[in-house]
Amino acid sequence: MVTKGSVGKLSFWAVVVSLAGVVLFIALRPDPVWVDLATVTRGELEVSISEEGKTRVKDRYLVSSPVAGYLHRVPLEVGDRVSPGQLLTEVDPMPSSVLDARSRAEAEARVAAAQSALNSTRQKVAAARAEAELAEKELVRLQSLSADRFVSKDRLEQAESAADRANAILRSARFDEEVMIHELKAARTRLEVSAASSSGNGNVERVGVRSPVEGAVLQMVRKSEGVIQAGEPIVEVGDPAALEVVVDVLSFDAVNLAPGVAVRLSGWGGKVLEAVVRRVEPVGFEDVSALGVEEQRVKVVADIVSPTPDWSTLGDGYRVDATFVLWSGGDVLSVPTSAIFDHLEGKAVFRVEDEVAVLTEVTIGRGNGLDTVITEGLEAGMTVIRHPDRQVEDGARVRER
């Protein structure tokens, strides 16, 4: 028989056992894992590469000296406008060297020797002339006798040959005389014309150095006057309005670029400019980063397509920040890339529902390193765990830090 007292005792102990079970469950269950959370969002996403570049004039012309000589001072400054055919400077012929006492004595001796040689040659000319005249007279005499047949034909031919030979010797002697005259003139010029004795008032044949194009002076390679050799650069000119942008890109990123890729230019002090890739050079080069790491880089050349007034203050060699846009989406679902991890043969995330981690497989699209497009598996507004560690499992309790 159950009495009221026994029923009350049973109820009391039942409550005590229940409370003890609840306390034991709470005490023994695992603590929630502290995690960082992120929200699945829908909006714009862009995949891009950002590097530092600089501007440069497309067509540069290095004007050099056409001849060796004495360069006049260039009356130009960097930035001065030039037009095609404009005279930039002039080059005088190389001035004569100064003759010292020994060189002057030698020059005077050469003049005297040339004069003596000329006198000797003139005597030879006189002798040859006399021989030629005698041969001509003999030929005329024999020709007159030949008409009356007092001279044989052979004798007449010998006289003609002797006359021809005498005239040839005379012509040769006269040529030698002309040579001696020129040599005497050269010796006198060497003696009379020198940097020490030249008055500088004579007419000098100057060579003009002119601009090949319309543009401005970009660099003064040589400004002061002085002796210059043929082919030595003087000034660099080009059109500052025809600018391009050169960016050194890591070879790992350059393989994703091609002509026509859109580029944004910023960080130069003005509004953001639009540009487009014109050429990706096929040859890389080695560069050392600021951290001392050796990198393989490739030069990428881009043309500015924004209106010229927007970048009229840009000049040659200015620094810009270039952003190459590889892909962009206007209304895409994305999550932080740090929330995605490998699972089986695909990708997955931990979705949070009522403070419980739920393993969710997803299909991903393009990513920019910070955010990744989700094509299947999630919806906007859901919450996912960023940087999940080994403590996070499917069904584990989590709590936001």
Side-chain angles (χ1 to χ4, degrees):
M1 181 177 182
V2 180
T3 62
K4 291 183 179 181
S6 61
V7 172
K9 290 180 179 179
L10 290 175
S11 299
F12 171 77
W13 287 110
V15 171
V16 171
V17 171
S18 298
L19 291 175
V22 170
V23 172
L24 183 62
F25 173 76
I26 294 175
L28 295 179
R29 72 173 180 173
D31 294 333
V33 181
W34 295 90
V35 294
D36 295 322
L37 303 180
T39 303
V40 181
T41 58
R42 181 175 291 277
E44 296 183 357
L45 183 66
E46 181 180 272
V47 180
S48 61
I49 301 171
S50 296
E51 291 286 355
E52 182 178 313
K54 66 178 181 179
T55 60
R56 73 178 181 189
V57 173
K58 288 184 180 179
D59 298 317
R60 311 171 75 93
Y61 297 86
L62 190 60
V63 183
S64 58
S65 175
V67 296
Y70 192 83
L71 175 70
H72 286 246
R73 185 175 179 84
V74 183
L76 295 172
E77 299 290 342
V78 174
D80 289 350
R81 301 294 303 183
V82 294
S83 57
Q86 177 181 335
L87 183 65
L88 304 179
T89 185
E90 292 180 322
V91 179
D92 288 344
M94 190 71 72
S96 303
S97 60
V98 178
L99 296 179
D100 55 19
R102 176 181 176 180
S103 299
R104 182 170 294 278
E106 291 177 350
E108 291 174 349
R110 290 193 186 96
V111 171
Q115 183 65 60
S116 299
L118 177 59
N119 294 336
S120 175
T121 304
R122 284 174 176 172
Q123 294 299 317
K124 292 179 181 179
V125 171
R129 186 184 299 112
E131 292 289 339
E133 291 175 354
L134 179 60
E136 287 290 338
K137 289 179 180 179
E138 179 66 14
L139 177 61
V140 172
R141 187 181 69 82
L142 294 177
Q143 286 176 344
S144 62
L145 295 175
S146 175
D148 297 331
R149 296 183 179 181
F150 289 112
V151 178
S152 65
K153 185 178 180 180
D154 291 341
R155 182 71 181 88
L156 181 60
E157 290 178 353
Q158 290 177 1
E160 290 176 350
S161 176
D164 292 340
R165 184 169 60 255
N167 288 325
I169 293 174
L170 176 60
R171 289 193 299 270
S172 177
R174 285 174 176 172
F175 289 145
D176 290 341
E177 182 183 15
E178 292 180 2
V179 172
M180 291 299 104
I181 292 173
H182 291 308
E183 289 186 358
L184 176 60
K185 185 177 179 180
R188 285 176 175 171
T189 302
R190 168 68 176 167
L191 177 63
E192 296 172 358
V193 180
S194 67
S197 60
S198 177
S199 61
N201 297 325
N203 294 327
V204 179
E205 184 181 358
R206 293 178 174 176
V207 178
V209 180
R210 302 182 180 275
S211 172
V213 293
E214 176 81 23
V217 177
L218 302 179
Q219 182 183 5
M220 295 296 303
V221 182
R222 176 74 178 270
K223 186 174 181 65
S224 300
E225 65 178 22
V227 176
I228 191 170
Q229 301 300 320
E232 188 174 338
I234 301 174
V235 62
E236 188 177 27
V237 299
D239 186 5
L243 288 181
E244 62 186 7
V245 179
V246 182
V247 187
D248 295 343
V249 179
L250 290 172
S251 59
F252 176 82
D253 295 326
V255 297
N256 297 315
L257 300 178
V261 172
V263 187
R264 287 197 308 271
L265 305 177
S266 59
W268 61 275
K271 61 173 62 177
V272 177
L273 304 176
E274 299 297 327
V276 62
V277 173
R278 185 175 85 243
R279 182 175 69 254
V280 180
E281 294 189 355
V283 179
F285 62 95
E286 188 175 278
D287 191 17
V288 179
S289 68
L291 300 177
V293 180
E294 293 183 354
E295 301 172 335
Q296 290 299 124
R297 290 186 171 269
V298 176
K299 288 188 180 296
V300 179
V301 182
D303 291 327
I304 304 175
V305 296
S306 293
T308 302
D310 292 347
W311 50 274
S312 59
T313 55
L314 265 179
D316 180 53
Y318 282 36
R319 173 194 174 278
V320 295
D321 291 330
T323 302
F324 299 89
V325 181
L326 303 180
W327 178 86
S328 62
D331 184 23
V332 296
L333 196 69
S334 63
V335 298
T337 304
S338 59
I340 304 172
F341 56 91
D342 295 330
H343 177 68
L344 299 179
E345 296 182 357
K347 301 291 183 180
V349 299
F350 279 114
R351 183 165 48 88
V352 177
E353 291 184 1
D354 298 329
E355 296 187 345
V356 176
V358 179
L359 179 65
T360 305
E361 295 184 354
V362 295
T363 303
I364 64 173
R366 300 294 294 267
N368 60 9
L370 297 178
D371 298 296
T372 301
V373 175
I374 300 297
T375 57
E376 293 181 3
L378 297 176
E379 295 181 0
M382 290 183 175
T383 303
V384 295
I385 299 176
R386 300 180 59 182
H387 305 288
D389 55 22
R390 295 181 179 178
Q391 293 180 323
V392 180
E393 297 178 352
D394 187 23
R397 291 191 310 119
V398 295
R399 184 174 300 175
E400 185 177 8
R401 288 190 176 93

